[in-house]
Amino acid sequence: MRDLLPATVAVAVAGPDDWTGELLPAEQACLGERAVQTRRRDFTAGRACARRALTDLGLPPTAVPSAADRAPVWPAGVVGTITHTTGYCAAAAAYTTDIRSVGIDAEQHREVSPGVRRLVLLPEEEATCARLPSGTFWPVVLFSAKETVYKVWYPVVRSWLDFQDARLELDPDAGTFTARIAPARVDAAAVDDPPTSISGQFVIADGLVRTAAVLSLR
Ligand SMILES: CC(C)(COP(=O)(O)OP(=O)(O)OC[C@H]1O[C@@H](n2cnc3c(N)ncnc32)[C@H](O)[C@@H]1OP(=O)(O)O)[C@@H](O)C(=O)NCCC(=O)NCCS
């Protein structure tokens, strides 16, 4: 994930001990007592990474609770993002004086079901997947890129974005993507200067698709 983001963004990837470490009280309160073990491990690893990213920025290892909308709550002056999938977890954080927003996502590199494809891909994106080089499960690359786009968009605009609200173009050689946001969503955004497009990078390695994107300052 480090290579997908600029140097101003601190990135932490979970090590073996991070999945079973301690949560801070404010984080424990968000997880609740009844979380199943998988959720507890994912959440714990995400918070360990989040706090390490904060210390890499030179900040104290502050708690990163979840808001009611599930978005992580970063300390004032910081933007950040968390992802977890089986066997992998990472967080990234940066100062709001350096970037406007950041998103990361990791998925297992495998086929996605026809139902998920219908939900996630626009017809032209299906056509693009058919044209791209074989040997890669392109639909899951687009899926991950769209989740990253949502994680960039949401903290800025605080509104929902459907998978079909982002039209993705992908350069398989450069490992880059650009999402054009549906004009209706941009027009409805209740913030100054909502993003009309979000660009990022992807890598496929070790059985995982990793995607990341940053929104620059205005
Ligand atoms: C929120 C969402 C993107 C998370 O992705 P995921 O693949 O399910 O799970 P990941 O492990 O990668 O990410 C989970 C983390 O995302 C973060 N997250 C949750 N809601 C978020 C939001 N609204 N904004 C930013 N980050 C959010 C949280 O940190 C969460 O981890 P935590 O609960 O342990 O804190 C996904 O569940 C979702 O709701 N997608 C639908 C919206 C969407 O993607 N639209 C596409 C628009 S192009």
Side-chain angles (χ1 to χ4, degrees):
M1 203 60 93
R2 172 67 278 165
D3 293 347
L4 301 182
L5 289 161
T8 48
V9 180
V11 178
V13 177
D17 296 339
D18 289 330
W19 303 80
T20 51
E22 294 288 315
L23 289 170
L24 296 176
E27 298 166 345
Q28 179 62 54
C30 299
L31 179 64
E33 294 303 328
R34 300 218 308 258
V36 297
Q37 204 204 356
T38 319
R39 174 62 183 144
R40 177 172 298 279
R41 284 175 59 83
D42 286 353
F43 188 83
T44 300
R47 265 48 199 183
C49 291
R51 282 185 253 116
R52 200 171 312 131
L54 291 175
T55 53
D56 287 353
L57 289 177
L59 293 164
T62 320
V64 180
S66 305
D69 56 16
R70 286 189 50 218
V73 182
W74 297 88
V78 173
V79 286
T81 176
I82 296 170
T83 188
H84 27 62
T85 182
T86 308
Y88 182 85
C89 175
Y95 287 111
T96 52
T97 46
D98 286 327
I99 62 168
R100 199 172 170 202
S101 188
V102 57
I104 62 172
D105 187 74
E107 301 291 334
Q108 308 295 317
H109 180 226
R110 63 183 173 211
E111 205 150 3
V112 295
S113 70
V116 173
R117 277 175 88 130
R118 270 195 302 280
L119 182 78
V120 171
L121 301 183
L122 293 161
E124 53 270 45
E125 292 169 338
E126 273 287 1
T128 303
C129 287
R131 277 198 308 272
L132 288 168
S134 60
T136 295
F137 297 112
W138 292 109
V140 78
V141 178
L142 271 78
F143 175 76
S144 179
K146 288 191 179 197
E147 295 225 307
T148 275
V149 165
Y150 183 67
K151 291 177 187 176
V152 171
W153 165 271
Y154 187 86
V156 172
V157 184
R158 297 275 157 198
S159 71
W160 178 250
L161 205 56
D162 261 328
F163 285 102
Q164 308 263 333
D165 287 328
R167 183 180 310 273
L168 229 82
E169 282 155 25
L170 193 138
D171 183 332
D173 299 320
T176 57
F177 63 84
T178 295
R180 315 263 168 221
I181 311 298
R185 293 291 189 189
V186 175
D187 292 346
V191 292
D192 287 342
D193 197 12
T196 54
S197 72
I198 293 170
S199 296
Q201 302 197 57
F202 69 90
V203 67
I204 303 159
D206 308 322
L208 293 176
V209 177
R210 276 164 268 219
T211 56
V214 158
L215 193 63
S216 303
L217 293 177
R218 289 172 278 179

